[in-house]
């Protein structure tokens, strides 16, 4: 017979970095929580991420506000978490191949500055000083010192460890099979092994967030958006910042289901260079895309010619939890009392995790939220949904 646990304030579904952050901030607020995941810690999108903590790719608006809050919280976490988290405040560099792209970056940065972002224009000489191995002939770019990076799986593990030290319970390898409902409200969840009873359940299931919403009797149009990453052999620090081409910003904001790729290149403390980023909606198709890998390799070599003859040791891919309006769903779902959502961050979940956790903790305790949660309401209108064949 399944075990029953009822001495909880909240159950968090998902042990990726967002679920881990929700557990961390909820336990800090004095709540008793359990985290349940059908797999392992960081076994989904988090484990397939690069660890980006970016403000540079977000236009002024709610997501940028969330990113700026998270950037401050990541700095606080870095001061108290073990070094294995590999927090690096390396900064980002966005480069433009021509004057038209540079003018667009200039206008983009102007809006960001008004929201509190530090964006410093870099001319051709500045680019050479910031990144000596960059390709010649670039028109210029912008330096974003607030961009940073973590090792994502370690970040999730360390946040969960800190939550566990405050009493959180972690149940891995247990899939949620149904919700416990009573008097018209969510009262917990069931797995094959146990029943976890609580007055609140947080859906932090990433790309499976739509499925968890369905189990609870509601809808959330989360779709998987596949992305590949190349990993090179260990190198000296030939790439100092997070460096990407200006068209990456447009790819992030795009709703296209087709394959999109733009060079995103960064070094790591252990030596390998990570090369991304592709985006396409192909459902949960895990097959290898030779075309996606070819594009990444050629675009990275065009940006950093020094990489042209470097060996690629492996490639990996994951699925970003995509919502049609490119904003995550964070907070209580008024359609299902007791249900909260913390998913749909697409490729920004690692960067946005702490602020998401802080918002969820505030919602669970009734505290003043650290920023306006209104734009992230789970019951907001999401606009036109993709049709058949568009990556459901």
């Amino acid at each position: 017979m399944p075990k029953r646990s009822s001495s909880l304030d909240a159950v968090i579904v998902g042990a990726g970095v967002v679920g881990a952050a929700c557990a961390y901030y909820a336990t800090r607020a004095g709540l008793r929580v359990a985290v349940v995941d059908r797999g392992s810690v960081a076994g989904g999108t988090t484990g397939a991420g690069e660890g980006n903590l970016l403000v540079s790719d977000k236009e002024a608006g709610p997501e940028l506000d969330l990113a700026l809050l998270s950037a401050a919280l990541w700095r606080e976490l870095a001061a108290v978490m073990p070094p294995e988290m590999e927090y690096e405040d390396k900064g980002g560099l966005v480069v433009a191949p021509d004057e038209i792209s540079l003018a667009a970056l200039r206008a983009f940065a102007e809006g960001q500055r008004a929201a509190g972002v530090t964006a410093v224009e870099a001319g051709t000489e500045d680019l050479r000083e910031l990144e000596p191995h960059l390709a010649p002939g670039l028109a210029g770019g912008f330096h974003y010192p607030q961009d940073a990076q973590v090792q994502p799986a370690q970040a999730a593990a360390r946040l969960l460890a800190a939550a566990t030290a405050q009493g959180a319970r972690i149940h891995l390898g247990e899939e949620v099979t149904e919700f416990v409902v009573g008097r018209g409200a969510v009262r917990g969840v069931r797995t094959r092994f146990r029943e976890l009873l609580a007055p609140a359940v947080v859906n932090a299931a990433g790309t499976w967030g739509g499925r968890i919403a369905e189990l609870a009797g509601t809808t959330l149009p989360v779709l998987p958006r596949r992305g590949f990453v190349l990993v090179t052999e260990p190198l000296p620090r030939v790439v100092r910042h997070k460096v990407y081409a200006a068209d990456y910003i447009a790819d992030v904001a795009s709703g296209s289901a087709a394959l999109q790729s733009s060079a995103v290149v960064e070094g790591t403390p252990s030596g390998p260079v990570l090369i991304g980023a592709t985006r396409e909606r192909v459902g949960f198709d895990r097959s290898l895309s030779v075309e996606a890998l070819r594009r990444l390799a050629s675009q990275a070599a065009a940006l950093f010619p020094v990489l042209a003859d470097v060996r690629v040791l492996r490639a990996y891919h994951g699925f970003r939890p995509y919502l049609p309006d490119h904003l995550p769903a964070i907070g209580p779902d008024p359609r299902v009392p007791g249900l909260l959502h913390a998913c749909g961050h697409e490729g920004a979940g690692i960067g946005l995790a702490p602020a998401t956790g802080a918002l969820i903790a505030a919602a669970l305790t009734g505290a003043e939220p650290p920023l306006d949660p209104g734009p992230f309401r789970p019951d907001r209108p999401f606009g036109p949904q993709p049709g058949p064949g568009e990556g459901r």
Side-chain angles (χ1 to χ4, degrees), residues 45-52 149 152 226-232 242 248 262 264-266 268 272-280 288-289 292-294 296-297 300 312-320:
T45 301
T46 296
E50 295 176 71
N52 299 333
Q149 183 181 11
R226 188 174 70 180
F228 286 89
V229 176
L230 300 178
V231 183
T232 75
K242 177 85 173 183
Y248 172 77
S262 52
V264 181
V265 185
E266 63 190 309
T268 63
V273 172
L274 304 181
I275 300 169
T278 65
R279 279 173 164 76
E280 56 185 329
L288 187 70
S289 170
L293 302 185
R294 185 196 64 78
L296 287 180
V312 173
L313 297 185
R314 65 186 181 97
Y316 63 91
H317 65 280
F319 299 95
R320 305 174 181 91

Side-chain angles (χ1 to χ4, degrees), residues 117-198:
V117 173
T118 302
V120 182
E121 185 162 357
T124 54
E125 290 297 321
D126 301 314
L127 291 184
R128 276 193 287 273
E129 183 175 339
L130 289 164
E131 290 288 349
H133 296 287
L134 264 176
L138 294 166
F142 277 81
H143 178 221
Y144 289 86
Q146 289 156 295
D147 281 357
Q149 183 181 11
V150 292
Q151 207 294 333
Q154 284 286 351
R158 300 304 166 180
L159 286 168
L160 281 176
T164 302
Q166 294 297 314
R169 308 172 196 171
I170 314 297
H171 304 292
L172 302 177
E174 298 190 25
E175 183 173 1
V176 171
T177 56
E178 62 180 313
F179 275 72
V180 180
V181 179
R183 297 182 180 180
V186 163
R187 300 295 181 187
V189 300
R190 292 190 181 98
T191 75
R192 284 180 53 208
F193 306 98
R194 71 191 74 246
E195 184 175 78
L196 297 167
L197 301 179

Side-chain angles (χ1 to χ4, degrees), residues 6-76:
S6 57
S7 58
L8 297 170
D9 297 305
V11 176
I12 298 165
V13 183
V17 71
V18 172
C22 290
Y24 176 81
Y25 286 101
T27 55
R28 275 189 54 178
L31 300 180
R32 298 161 299 173
V33 306
V35 178
V36 60
D37 194 294
R38 67 179 190 168
S40 59
V41 174
T45 301
T46 296
E50 295 176 71
N52 299 333
L53 315 179
L54 302 184
V55 300
S56 56
D57 63 341
K58 297 168 182 65
E59 66 179 337
E63 189 183 27
L64 180 57
D65 295 339
L66 199 66
L68 286 167
L69 173 59
S70 265
L73 293 175
W74 273 120
R75 286 192 291 273
E76 292 178 6

